[in-house]
C-alpha cells in the first residue's frame, strides 16, 4: 500500500513540475519587452513624431489617399445645397398657390401637378445618384428638369463603358431617351 502512495506522489510531483515549467516558459516568452526568440527589447522614448521611430505599430493612424479632392467635395456639397434650396423654394411657391383661397381651380390643379412632378423629380434624382455612386464609386450629382437629365461625376475619369452604364441607369430610371441625357466629368 505504501508503494501505491509513493508512486502517486511521484507522478503528482512530476506533473506539478511539468506544469510549473510550462507556466515559466509561457511567462518568459510573453512578458513585455521580449521578442519571440527571447531577445530583450529596450524600451524607447517616443516624442510623437512617426518619422523618429523606426518601427511601424499596429493601430497607429496613417494618412490614406483620398480619391476626392477637397475642391470636388466642396463643389458637390455646394451644388447639392443650391439644388435643395431651389427645390424648397419651388415647393413653397407651389404650396402657396395651392393654399391661396383666391386662386382659381385651374391654377390649384396645375400647381398640384407641378408639385407632384417636383416630388417625383427629387426622388428620381436621389435614386439615380445612389445607383450611379454604387456603380462607379464616384461622387455624383443628378439634376432633372425640363424633360432632360444632367449627371455630374467626380473622382476617376469616365470611360465609354462607364458612360454607357450611367446612361443606361438614367434611361431606365427616368424613361427619357439617350439624347436627353448629359454626362459631365468634373475637372479637378
Amino acid at each position: 500500500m505504501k508503494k501505491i502512495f509513493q508512486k502517486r506522489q511521484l507522478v503528482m510531483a512530476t506533473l506539478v513540475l511539468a506544469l510549473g515549467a510550462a507556466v515559466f516558459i509561457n511567462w518568459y516568452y510573453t512578458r513585455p519587452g521580449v521578442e519571440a526568440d527571447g531577445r530583450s527589447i529596450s524600451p524607447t522614448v517616443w516624442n510623437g513624431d512617426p518619422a523618429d521611430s523606426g518601427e511601424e505599430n499596429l493601430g497607429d493612424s496613417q494618412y490614406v489617399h483620398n480619391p476626392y479632392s477637397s475642391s470636388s467635395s466642396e463643389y458637390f456639397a455646394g451644388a447639392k445645397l443650391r439644388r435643395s434650396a431651389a427645390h424648397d423654394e419651388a415647393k413653397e411657391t407651389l404650396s402657396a398657390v395651392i393654399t391661396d383661397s383666391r386662386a382659381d381651380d385651374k391654377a390649384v390643379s396645375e400647381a398640384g401637378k407641378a408639385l407632384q412632378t417636383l416630388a417625383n423629380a427629387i426622388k428620381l434624382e436621389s435614386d439615380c445618384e445612389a445607383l450611379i455612386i454604387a456603380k462607379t464609386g464616384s461622387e455624383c450629382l443628378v439634376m432633372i428638369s425640363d424633360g432632360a437629365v444632367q449627371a455630374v461625376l467626380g473622382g476617376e475619369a469616365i470611360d465609354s463603358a462607364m458612360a454607357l452604364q450611367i446612361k443606361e441607369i438614367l434611361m431606365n430610371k427616368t424613361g427619357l431617351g439617350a439624347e436627353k441625357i448629359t454626362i459631365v466629368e468634373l475637372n479637378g
Side-chain angles (χ1 to χ4, degrees), residues 98-171:
I98 291 171
T99 58
D100 188 7
S101 61
R102 294 175 289 157
D104 62 348
D105 291 338
K106 184 178 181 184
V108 171
S109 174
E110 287 178 12
K113 288 178 185 176
L115 190 59
Q116 185 61 39
T117 302
L118 179 64
N120 290 340
I122 292 170
K123 182 178 180 336
L124 276 175
E125 287 171 348
S126 176
D127 291 348
C128 290
E129 286 174 1
L131 288 172
I132 292 171
I133 290 169
K135 191 68 166 176
T136 64
S138 300
E139 279 190 281
C140 177
L141 175 70
V142 175
M143 297 165 284
I144 300 174
S145 63
D146 300 327
V149 179
Q150 295 82 29
V152 180
L153 283 110
E156 63 186 56
I158 302 171
D159 60 356
S160 60
M162 186 183 296
L164 186 62
Q165 290 175 344
I166 293 168
K167 275 195 177 190
E168 185 178 329
I169 289 170
L170 293 173
M171 286 175 13

